Amino acid sequence: DGIRDTSVTGVQTCALPIYLESLPQFITENDADWGMVYDWMEDMCGPLRDEHWEEVAQVYKEFNNDSRY
């Protein structure tokens, strides 16, 4: 299922979409900057690959530019 499943790729993976959905709430509750987001994502998922960080950065950017939040 990709959630810390070593049989998928031979390394631990993360339920990245689940954490990306909760990222706006984390940012709001903690008035989080990029450094806090980085630390939180690594705490949740472990080391992420560059392509995953691109997804995290996109959500962070959209959150900061969206007046609904």
Side-chain angles (χ1 to χ4, degrees):
D1 65 3
I3 302 173
R4 299 207 182 272
D5 186 346
T6 58
S7 67
V8 174
T9 61
V11 297
Q12 287 188 337
T13 59
C14 174
L16 187 61
I18 295 169
Y19 292 115
L20 289 178
E21 286 179 15
S22 61
L23 184 56
Q25 180 180 350
F26 170 79
I27 294 169
T28 301
E29 290 176 355
N30 297 283
D31 193 25
D33 61 13
W34 178 247
M36 292 173 69
V37 167
Y38 184 97
D39 291 344
W40 183 72
M41 290 301 297
E42 292 242 316
D43 285 347
M44 298 293 110
C45 299
L48 296 176
R49 290 182 270 172
D50 290 344
E51 62 267 18
H52 295 143
W53 281 117
E54 291 171 11
E55 293 180 60
V56 174
Q58 185 64 34
V59 171
Y60 182 73
K61 179 181 172 185
E62 288 173 8
F63 172 80
N64 283 329
N65 292 326
D66 192 333
S67 62
R68 292 178 293 168
Y69 295 108

